[in-house]
Amino acid sequence: MTTQGCPILIAPQAPEPKVPPATMKHLHPLLLITLLLLTGIGSTLAAGGNDPAYPKGGDWELKKDQYAEFPLPLPAYTDPEHAAYEGGTDSLWEKLKSRAAEQHYFNLIATIIFICAIIHTFLSGVFRDMAHHHEERHKERIKVEGRRAEDKPQDDAKDDVSFRAWFFHTLGEVEAVFGIWVIALLGAILWCHGIAPGEGIGHGVTQMKAYLGKDVNYTEPLFVIIIMAIAATRPIIRLSEAAVNKIAKLMGGTPAAWWFATLTLTPLLGSFITEPAAMTIAALLLAKKFYELKPNPKFAYATIGLLFVNISVGGTLTHFAAPPVLMVAPPDRWDWDMMFMLTNFGWKATVGILIANIIYFLAFKKHFDDLEDPGANSMGHQTKWEDREDPVPPVVTVIHVLFLAWTVFTAHYPPLFLGGFLLLLGFTEATGHHQNDVKMRTPLLVGFFLAGLVIHGGCQGWWISLLLTSIDNDWIHMIGATVLTAFNDNAAVTFLASQAPGLGDGAKFAIVAGAVTGGGLTVIANAPNPAGQAILGKYFEGGVSPAKLAIAALIPTIVVGAALMLL
């Protein structure tokens, strides 16, 4: 049972509160999640009642019903009785050209839009600079024209807002990029499946609703929103901090020890609490224990690149934690269980993480001496409430851990983990003096990013699957999957591979190895990466540069890839 939800959530303007402000602050996340749950149920009901365009099973042995007429199921291209049949050509280029032209060139247009979204992520810093420029000009203008809050007669007045600055700031939000380009994809759907074939725009709207409302599964974005929010609660962070602290103390308790312990333990922890939760915890710990000490930019990028790679491969000790493994592990696909993952991937990934950490530790060893004194910033300053060090009662921590475990256990059932989260929000209010506010902005942005990514990714199978099945060398499979992962979510790469017939065991291993290896090269390569960027992005001037991230992640990518393929 899976409930699909709407990836875009807009909270309505609330009326003047009838309850104390503090209570409203706590109710705000509750309102957002309730709306999220209701919109998910509502969209599913609204899209219901139509027959699938391509029913489950049949001659093509489809794994599930597909309600939209696009994208064409992959077996259509190899079915002699279908209009999209590629014929007897063995040329990869001819097959790509044939597939690109299907359905009034929708495949080609959707991929061009996807490429534009990827390019947009690399240009996000440019848009942020433009937003800053327009904001500064706007401040000067409203000062001269008397349109600041202090110039207005109302006590609660606000400065006039610059629409241009807001517009460019939105374009510069990496988490919003793929959602923005969904608008272009919707235009392509209306044209290629409504206007161009002469069916009318109404038919195009019907196909758009079928794809977004039924065929796209938003379970993973919803899960990431909830697991991020729970993993960032104070009891979970304090527990994780205490665990890492014990290991760090064994190594001296220095910032270097914290750095090494965090980058080793939390990625491996991801095999049990899921990678998004591990990313959230690791990023928050690194923010507090490392990035607050102001490392130089080169060291900062090396650390985030190493973190992304380690998280991507650290979830391979089990068969349920890493998104690319989840796509292939079920019995009706490749039937990989926990023992298979541990013996074929897990121990190799652990060795690769340790080697990569040691290499970067030795390379940047002298830079640890340049970090600021951890106590320097706190001298003479009152500790913020959120940064207080008083202990959390064990029973409160245990209850949070149980809610975290429930979320992981029900990861494929949104009503269950959303309901659990609502209960947890109530518990945080009842124990408010041991908690920090549950902040939903970052998790919601990350969920929006992933929702946009799965919408676009669902239309890329026509070329990704062809590339994967046209190779008969395991090393090329591995390297190819690594490269593809850098430009597409690694779970999408392995999912498409699971649909390809005739792959041998060696090819299956190599494709998954490449997918998890390349998961740290870009923000879009692995589902948890946007969470890490959202938490740590403020420590990088102008945000995290995609090019610098890729360079920083290159060496650990090579190391863990070699460990998986050679050991």
Side-chain angles (χ1 to χ4, degrees):
M1 166 178 163
T2 301
T3 300
Q4 297 172 344
C6 176
I8 302 176
L9 177 64
I10 302 177
Q13 287 285 340
E16 190 68 25
K18 302 294 185 180
V19 294
T23 305
M24 287 300 295
K25 183 186 296 185
H26 289 294
L27 286 177
H28 185 58
L30 181 63
L31 174 63
L32 290 174
I33 298 304
T34 302
L35 288 174
L36 196 63
L37 179 58
L38 292 176
T39 52
I41 296 174
S43 66
T44 300
L45 294 175
N50 299 323
D51 294 330
Y54 308 102
K56 179 180 179 181
D59 293 339
W60 291 347
E61 297 181 351
L62 299 181
K63 302 295 184 183
K64 64 176 183 177
D65 290 331
Q66 180 177 319
Y67 288 84
E69 296 172 356
F70 70 95
L72 277 177
L74 298 180
Y77 299 110
T78 56
D79 185 353
E81 298 182 2
H82 195 275
Y85 179 53
E86 296 167 338
T89 179
D90 293 327
S91 169
L92 176 61
W93 177 245
E94 291 299 324
K95 289 181 179 180
L96 285 171
K97 287 200 302 181
S98 174
R99 294 188 180 191
E102 286 299 324
Q103 297 183 320
H104 300 276
Y105 289 91
F106 174 75
N107 283 345
L108 179 61
I109 295 171
T111 297
I112 290 174
I113 292 171
F114 182 63
I115 293 172
C116 289
I118 293 173
I119 295 173
H120 186 163
T121 63
F122 283 82
L123 298 176
S124 58
V126 175
F127 289 116
R128 285 194 295 269
D129 290 341
M130 295 173 68
H132 179 73
H133 171 71
H134 284 289
E135 184 64 28
E136 291 301 316
R137 289 180 57 187
H138 177 73
K139 287 181 179 179
E140 292 296 326
R141 185 181 300 116
I142 63 174
K143 180 179 179 181
V144 172
E145 297 176 1
R147 293 188 285 128
R148 297 175 300 174
E150 60 194 69
D151 300 320
K152 300 175 182 179
Q154 297 84 3
D155 293 335
D156 55 351
K158 297 180 180 180
D159 290 346
D160 282 15
V161 177
S162 168
F163 179 83
R164 288 182 181 179
W166 171 87
F167 177 74
F168 286 113
H169 177 75
T170 301
L171 293 180
E173 286 277 7
V174 174
E175 292 84 1
V177 168
F178 284 92
I180 292 171
W181 283 94
V182 166
I183 299 172
L185 183 65
L186 297 183
I189 294 171
L190 293 178
W191 174 260
C192 296
H193 299 280
I195 299 173
E199 299 283 352
I201 194 170
H203 184 74
V205 171
T206 299
Q207 295 304 308
M208 178 181 68
K209 289 167 63 178
Y211 180 67
L212 294 180
K214 281 197 168 183
D215 292 340
V216 178
N217 190 332
Y218 302 107
T219 298
E220 184 181 23
L222 288 171
F223 171 76
V224 170
I225 291 172
I226 302 307
I227 202 71
M228 276 190 67
I230 297 176
T233 56
R234 184 170 180 264
I236 297 295
I237 292 300
R238 292 289 293 168
L239 176 64
S240 304
E241 190 173 351
V244 175
N245 184 50
K246 290 184 181 297
I247 304 299
K249 281 186 175 180
L250 295 176
M251 296 185 288
T254 62
W258 266 94
W259 180 92
F260 194 91
T262 302
L263 289 170
T264 303
L265 292 181
T266 49
L268 299 177
L269 185 64
S271 284
F272 305 96
I273 65 171
T274 73
E275 289 186 356
M279 175 67 82
T280 303
I281 292 170
L284 289 170
L285 291 180
L286 286 172
K288 181 178 181 180
K289 298 293 185 176
F290 176 72
Y291 283 99
E292 286 289 346
L293 306 184
K294 299 181 180 178
N296 64 58
K298 187 176 180 180
F299 196 8
Y301 271 103
T303 299
I304 194 172
L306 185 60
L307 172 66
F308 282 12
V309 174
N310 288 357
I311 291 290
S312 182
V313 299
T316 58
L317 278 72
T318 62
H319 62 297
F320 60 81
V325 176
L326 272 171
M327 295 297 104
V328 302
D332 61 340
R333 294 181 186 170
W334 294 353
D335 194 17
W336 288 1
D337 58 16
M338 185 180 296
M339 185 56 64
F340 177 89
M341 291 304 303
L342 187 61
T343 55
N344 289 275
F345 284 89
W347 72 272
K348 298 177 183 180
T350 302
V351 172
I353 289 173
L354 285 171
I355 293 175
N357 286 354
I358 290 172
I359 290 174
Y360 268 34
F361 177 82
L362 295 176
F364 292 94
K365 186 176 181 180
K366 63 180 181 181
H367 292 278
F368 284 107
D369 296 331
D370 298 330
L371 298 177
E372 288 189 358
D373 181 0
N377 293 330
S378 60
M379 292 183 63
H381 297 281
Q382 187 175 2
T383 302
K384 295 181 179 178
W385 171 255
E386 290 190 352
D387 298 329
R388 65 197 185 282
E389 297 290 338
D390 56 296
V392 177
V395 65
V396 174
T397 300
V398 168
I399 290 175
H400 275 254
V401 170
L402 290 176
F403 274 110
L404 181 66
W406 170 257
T407 304
V408 173
F409 180 70
T410 61
H412 301 292
Y413 305 94
L416 295 182
F417 64 69
L418 284 169
F421 185 62
L422 291 174
L423 293 176
L424 177 62
L425 287 178
F427 179 74
T428 60
E429 287 194 43
T431 57
H433 52 293
H434 298 302
Q435 309 279 354
N436 289 331
D437 289 339
V438 179
K439 297 179 180 178
M440 295 303 301
R441 182 182 184 275
T442 297
L444 286 170
L445 278 175
V446 172
F448 183 68
F449 177 95
L450 293 175
L453 187 57
V454 297
I455 290 171
H456 287 286
C459 299
Q460 310 309 315
W462 68 275
W463 64 273
I464 293 178
S465 63
L466 189 56
L467 293 181
L468 291 176
T469 56
S470 299
I471 301 169
D472 59 3
N473 181 284
D474 290 347
W475 273 98
I476 297 178
H477 267 132
M478 187 269 181
I479 296 172
T482 301
V483 174
L484 286 175
T485 289
F487 301 101
N488 198 64
D489 179 62
N490 56 8
V493 172
T494 58
F495 172 76
L496 292 170
S498 73
Q499 308 302 302
L503 285 177
D505 291 339
K508 293 176 180 178
F509 176 88
I511 290 171
V512 175
V516 298
T517 296
L521 289 170
T522 60
V523 175
I524 68 173
N526 192 30
N529 291 356
Q533 177 181 258
I535 294 168
L536 298 177
K538 63 183 179 181
Y539 297 102
F540 297 84
E541 185 176 356
V544 178
S545 164
K548 292 179 180 179
L549 172 62
I551 293 172
L554 186 59
I555 291 177
T557 297
I558 294 172
V559 170
V560 297
L564 289 172
M565 294 297 289
L566 295 176
L567 294 179

